[in-house]
């Protein structure tokens, strides 16, 4: 572990620069923390936003994600009209329209049954963002509940929950998803089972992160004071512990969305995610595999869409982590 | 002078950080003769450790940069010497021990190996010879069963034993100078005394000069020939141990003395630690850098830089009023630093 | 050290039972009635149905069925393939060597490139090399593996036509040539992680007091790096690579599918398509057990790498 006093954190770059000044205090002495928790939080998030704004990569990532999100939300209003339907195709016209090279009408060309690749990539962002975000929400809900139970009650409950988390973590993620989704009847396939599966598999990491941050907050005086004043467990958790343990969760959650999107793509690629024909990026890559020579775009563009979106979530997560000064284990 | 072993002349080393220039070492001078002990005293952040690291060229550059001054070891400049030559001196002619013996020893190497390493590098000993010598050194610093314990890893040693091992390592090549950077701070009080006794005993045997860096005047009282008091990267008082202890002239030194526990605690001489924190070296106060915490400060202290003045007999002090006959130590509360 | 290893094994036991119980629940309970599944479209007479249920042990309570399941597992009985009628164990006996070969090739790449890149990045911190490594690892980590594989196939197999893109052997190419693209694909993400861990570990170690001590002893920078720094920094990297070997024994499903590599992952993938459940479940079970076992090995070998654990001082963790 690094000892704070010998390290000067160069915030803008996130690097720790060692210097050998023996304990030169680089910050003024801290005042006893008597302010209300809400004040602390306001300055915490205000400072974080200030620092985030100075992180160019994180801002580019944020802008990109906003563009993708706007495209996904507004797609119905402009995509089908301009480029054609992402799913529907006219059997009679397939032969004439399939695998066209990029043109003004079809900026990314068409796929093997004549659908516009750009339209499918835009609609794919809907699936990816929805699955990615909902999966993380599921992980968060399960992880926060189990993590806080674990940290708050300790003892047997803690040991049990953490052992179950070990069991989940011991499972190779993708195989578990394959097992669960392969037994799913055909008529139940869709977005829900995919994000539920990914979400269920993601809870142990969130529970661990949250548990450790709750444990570190729990010993603080103001929690003890709250307890002494007779606050109930749930009230303590909501009012005092949660707001203080939220920073690592925000960081971890942001990064996890990228991971969930990658998993969804892989599952769809294997034919276990969304039903065939859905404009899912992973599914598009699978469908386009055999037509690379005619129109490489059918594979290249969805791949770049996955890459850029996942990268953006990672970079944004990194940026938030540095801005909030959260330390996560690798 | 022929006798001078180590001479620092107006050494300046600044860190150039993103937030500004940190004047970590700002004009430090002293001379160390063979076999002598120099105590360097000050609070943490006063630049006492960085001064030592600077002259050993162990400060990463950048962000560090030598801004002026000279360090002469046996008449040769350590600052302009080639890196290979400095390496021949480090651990060989000038050795160092550090504050925290737990983190200063490499956790994945056996103690014996770590002590043997400088012998192999500097004395060209074989592995077997060096190991044999390492065991002797461990015996010398009072580790029982040294032959067995040489095979231990640092975490298997107690704190005091680790510092003994560090001392053995530092003395392995029979250095001319031993720089001890807060060697007892991380240890229990009883162990502290043992380590200091050990260092004194070894100094008698080997004739090594010692630079004892500490925040605790008490540590150097019995050991040092001369004492240098530092504040905010600058020397504020220098003199023989008698001069600094019995006729201290700088209010900061008075503050350090007031914070020492005395044997007969009367109400009047009760413990008065200096209040507040040393200044951030990024924003050193103008004038005398101590003036915001100094109970004797006058308006002029905030504007005028006090020079280091010889008060006679080599006793130096950097306070505008040190020379005034009426300027005497009072029993005072030291002021809080204004925020 | 013995105590550490014993504790790890003790921790392994509940994980083992938990994992097998989950497997049992998913593979035996979830897919519905295996008797009906066997019978296919036909409706069985009630008497035959009951007899078959008894024969399969389905009339017993679930925990008794779980014990049966464990018994079968221990005998290596994973059922028979619906599609080919062959024993599932035999199918995977044939395919596992391919998976192992691919995993080892990928690990070699990961060690050479990952550790190398991380080392360069840390030593040349703040230079263009560091930026290059940091940037490329970020991209690699965000890259869908299957897409990378397909793009590599397109470039080297189709456009340049210099490397094979399918299978493990052919008349035109050597077995080694067949290994190249799959190994690069499989190693890509892990190599990026290995490089990042190597970099961050080395940077952290470089700021440790004992490194300052090493310099103060008069050691040369290369001696400090290869001796004092690497010996410490490599411990977590080696642990990661060990765990990764375990993951590669399973994670290869995407890579093997793209390159038609006749390993475990490809077999599982084809079985999913064919709805050949015994092969899917059997394959996943085998792979999971292999992963669990490798993880246990890594945990135990950690003790040999770190003297603080070997000589029993580390009580935490």
């Amino acid at each position: 572990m690094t000892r704070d006093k010998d390290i000067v954190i160069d915030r803008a770059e996130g690097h720790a620069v060692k210097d050998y000044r023996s304990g030169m205090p680089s910050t003024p002495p801290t005042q006893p923390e008597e302010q209300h928790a809400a004040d602390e939080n306001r300055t915490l998030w205000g400072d974080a936003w200030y620092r985030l704004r100075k992180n160019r990569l994180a801002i580019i990532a944020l802008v990109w994600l906003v563009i993708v999100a706007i495209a996904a939300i507004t797609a119905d209003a402009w995509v089908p009209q301009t480029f054609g339907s992402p799913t529907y195709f006219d059997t009679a016209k397939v032969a004439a329209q399939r695998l066209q090279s990029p043109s003004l009408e079809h900026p990314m060309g068409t796929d093997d049954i004549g659908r516009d690749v750009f339209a499918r990539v835009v609609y794919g962002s809907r699936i990816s963002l929805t699955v990615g975000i909902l999966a993380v929400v599921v992980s968060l809900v399960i992880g926060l509940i189990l993590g806080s139970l674990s940290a708050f009650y300790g003892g047997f409950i803690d040991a049990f929950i953490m052992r179950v988390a070990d069991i989940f973590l011991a499972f190779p993620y993708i195989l578990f998803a394959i097992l669960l989704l392969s037994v799913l009847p055909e008529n139940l396939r869709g977005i829900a089972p995919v994000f539920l599966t990914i979400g269920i598999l993601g809870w142990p990491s969130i529970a661990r992160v949250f548990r450790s941050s709750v444990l570190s907050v729990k010993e603080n005086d103001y929690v003890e004071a709250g307890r002494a004043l007779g606050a109930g467990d749930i009230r303590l958790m909501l009012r005092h512990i949660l707001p203080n343990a939220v920073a690592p969760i925000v960081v971890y959650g942001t990064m996890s969305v990228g991971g969930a999107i990658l998993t969804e793509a892989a599952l769809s690629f294997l034919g276990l995610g969304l039903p065939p024909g859905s404009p899912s990026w992973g599914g598009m890559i699978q469908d386009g595999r055999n037509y690379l020579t005619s129109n490489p775009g059918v594979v290249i563009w969805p791949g770049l869409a996955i890459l850029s979106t996942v990268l953006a979530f990672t970079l944004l997560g990194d940026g938030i982590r540095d801005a909030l000064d959260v330390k996560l284990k690798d | 002078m022929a006798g001078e072993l180590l001479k620092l002349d107006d050494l300046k080393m600044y860190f150039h950080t993103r937030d500004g220039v940190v004047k970590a070492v700002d004009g430090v001078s002293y001379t160390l003769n063979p076999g002598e002990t120099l105590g360097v005293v000050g609070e943490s952040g006063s630049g006492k450790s960085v001064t030592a690291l600077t002259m050993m060229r162990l400060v990463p550059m950048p962000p560090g940069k030598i801004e002026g001054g000279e360090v002469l070891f046996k008449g040769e400049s350590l600052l302009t010497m080639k890196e290979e030559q400095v390496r021949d001196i480090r651990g060989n002619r000038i050795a160092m021990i550090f504050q925290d013996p737990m983190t200063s020893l490499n956790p994945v190497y056996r103690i014996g190996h770590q002590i043997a390493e400088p012998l192999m590098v500097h004395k060209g000993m074989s592995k077997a010879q060096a190991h044999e010598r390492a065991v002797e050194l461990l015996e010398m610093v009072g580790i029982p069963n040294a032959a067995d314990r040489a095979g231990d890893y640092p975490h298997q040693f107690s704190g005091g034993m680790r510092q003994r091992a560090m001392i053995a390592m530092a003395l392995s090549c029979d250095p001319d100078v031993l720089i001890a950077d807060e060697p007892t701070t991380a240890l229990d009080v009883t162990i502290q005394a043992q380590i200091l006794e050990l260092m004194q005993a070894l100094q008698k045997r080997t004739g090594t000069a010692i630079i004892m860096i500490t925040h605790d005047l008490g540590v150097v009282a019995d050991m040092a020939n001369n004492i240098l008091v530092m504040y905010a990267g600058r020397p504020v008082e220098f003199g023989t141990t008698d001069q600094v202890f019995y006729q201290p002239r700088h209010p900061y030194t008075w503050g350090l003395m007031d914070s020492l526990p005395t044997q007969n605690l009367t109400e009047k001489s009760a413990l008065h630690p200096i209040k507040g924190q040393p200044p951030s070296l990024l924003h050193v106060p103008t004038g005398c850098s101590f003036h915001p915490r100094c109970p004797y400060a006058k308006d002029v202290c905030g504007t005028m830089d006090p020079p280091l003045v010889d008060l006679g007999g080599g006793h130096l002090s950097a306070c505008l009023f040190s020379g005034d006959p009426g300027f005497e130590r009072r029993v005072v509360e030291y002021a809080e630093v204004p925020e | 050290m013995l105590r550490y290893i014993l504790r790890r094994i003790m921790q392994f036991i509940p994980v083992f039972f938990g994992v097998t119980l989950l497997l049992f629940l998913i593979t035996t309970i979830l897919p519905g009635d295996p008797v009906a599944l066997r019978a296919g479209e036909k409706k069985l007479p009630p008497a035959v149905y009951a007899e078959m249920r008894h024969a399969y042990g389905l009339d017993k309570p679930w925990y008794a069925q779980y014990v049966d399941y464990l018994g079968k597992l221990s005998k290596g009985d994973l059922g028979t393939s619906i599609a080919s009628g062959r024993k599932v164990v035999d199918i995977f006996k044939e395919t596992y060597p391919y998976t192992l070969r691919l995993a080892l090739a990928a690990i070699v790449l990961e060690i050479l490139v990952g550790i190398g890149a991380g080392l360069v990045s840390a030593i040349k911190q703040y230079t263009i090399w560091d930026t290059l490594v940091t940037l490329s690892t970020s991209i690699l980590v965000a890259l869908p593996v299957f897409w990378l594989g397909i793009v590599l196939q397109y470039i080297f197999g189709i456009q340049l036509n210099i490397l094979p893109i399918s299978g493990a052997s052919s008349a035109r190419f050597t077995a080694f040539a067949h290994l190249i693209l799959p190994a690069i694909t499989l190693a890509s993400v892990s190599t990026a992680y290995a490089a990042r861990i190597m970099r961050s570990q080395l940077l952290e170690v470089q700021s440790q007091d004992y490194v300052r001590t090493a310099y103060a002893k008069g050691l040369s920078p290369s001696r400090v790096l290869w001796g004092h720094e690497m010996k410490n920094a490599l411990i977590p990297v080696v642990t990661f690579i060990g765990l990764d070997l375990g993951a590669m024994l399973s994670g290869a499903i995407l890579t093997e599918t793209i390159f038609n590599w006749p390993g475990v992952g490809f077999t599982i993938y084809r079985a999913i398509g064919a709805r050949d459940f015994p092969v899917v479940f059997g394959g996943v079970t085998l792979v999971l057990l292999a992963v669990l076992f490798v993880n246990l090995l890594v945990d135990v070998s950690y003790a040999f790498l770190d003297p603080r654990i070997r000589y029993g001082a580390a009580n935490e963790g």
Side-chain angles (χ1 to χ4, degrees), chain B residues 312-324:
Chain B
H315 188 181
L316 311 174
S317 174
C319 174
L320 294 173
F321 306 105
S322 286
D324 295 359

Side-chain angles (χ1 to χ4, degrees), chain B residues 53 58 87 90-91 96 98 103-110 114 117-118 120-122 153 155-156 166 169, chain C residues 208-210 212-213 215-221 223 226-228 231-232 235 306-308 310-313:
Chain B
L53 290 165
L58 285 172
R87 219 180 288 150
R90 281 187 207 135
M96 291 189 82
F98 298 102
T103 57
S104 297
L105 287 165
N106 194 324
V108 299
Y109 282 109
R110 297 173 193 278
Q114 300 193 47
E117 223 175 355
M120 293 190 275
V121 171
H122 297 300
Y153 287 90
H155 73 264
Q156 291 167 289
M166 280 294 288
M169 192 162 81
Chain C
Q208 296 292 321
D209 287 349
Y210 55 77
R212 182 176 61 183
T213 308
Y215 279 114
K217 278 197 234 182
L219 304 189
S220 65
R223 197 170 169 142
W226 296 106
H228 287 259
K231 209 170 168 178
N232 281 282
I235 294 174
D306 192 334
R308 280 161 291 189
R310 199 179 338 150
Y311 293 95

Side-chain angles (χ1 to χ4, degrees), chain A residues 117-233:
Chain A
V117 173
F118 178 74
R120 285 176 66 75
V121 168
V122 172
Y123 274 88
S125 66
R126 281 192 168 184
I127 294 177
S128 288
L129 288 184
T130 315
V131 170
I133 291 168
L134 289 181
V136 171
V137 169
V138 171
S139 301
L140 277 177
V141 169
I142 305 176
L144 290 190
I145 292 174
L146 293 181
S148 46
L149 284 179
S150 202
F152 218 67
Y153 294 108
F156 173 76
I157 293 176
D158 184 26
F160 181 77
I161 291 176
M162 284 300 114
R163 242 342 58 96
V164 175
D166 282 350
I167 292 169
F168 271 79
L169 286 172
F171 265 81
Y173 205 90
I174 192 108
L175 274 187
F176 202 163
I178 286 170
L179 263 190
L180 281 173
L181 291 171
S182 66
V183 298
L184 195 75
E186 203 69 38
N187 56 352
L188 287 180
R189 293 181 65 179
I191 281 192
V194 176
F195 78 72
L196 282 174
T197 304
I198 300 175
I200 288 169
L201 296 182
W203 75 265
S205 321
I206 303 250
R208 282 188 167 185
V209 172
F210 191 61
R211 173 177 175 269
S212 62
S213 47
V214 170
L215 282 181
S216 65
V217 181
K218 198 178 144 189
E219 306 307 322
N220 279 355
D221 289 345
Y222 58 84
V223 175
E224 289 302 316
R227 197 190 284 284
L229 290 172
D233 285 353

Side-chain angles (χ1 to χ4, degrees), chain A residues 197-321:
Chain A
T197 304
I198 300 175
I200 288 169
L201 296 182
W203 75 265
S205 321
I206 303 250
R208 282 188 167 185
V209 172
F210 191 61
R211 173 177 175 269
S212 62
S213 47
V214 170
L215 282 181
S216 65
V217 181
K218 198 178 144 189
E219 306 307 322
N220 279 355
D221 289 345
Y222 58 84
V223 175
E224 289 302 316
R227 197 190 284 284
L229 290 172
D233 285 353
I234 290 184
R235 192 184 149 75
L236 267 182
M237 194 92 81
L238 291 179
R239 281 298 299 271
H240 297 284
I241 295 181
L242 202 60
N244 286 288
V246 95
I249 291 302
V250 169
V251 174
Y252 198 84
T254 311
M255 292 181 169
S256 303
V257 176
I261 289 175
L262 271 181
T263 309
E264 183 276 323
L267 290 171
S268 293
F269 176 79
L270 290 173
L272 289 167
L274 278 286
S278 319
S280 149
W281 290 338
M284 291 172 72
I285 293 174
Q286 174 66 287
D287 296 341
R289 266 181 85 180
N290 298 322
Y291 308 103
L292 260 173
T293 36
S294 315
N295 177 14
V298 291
V299 166
I300 303 296
W301 289 114
L304 289 180
I306 300 174
L307 172 62
S308 59
T309 311
V310 174
L311 190 60
F313 275 110
T314 316
L315 292 177
L316 183 62
D318 277 346
I320 300 176
R321 181 195 57 201

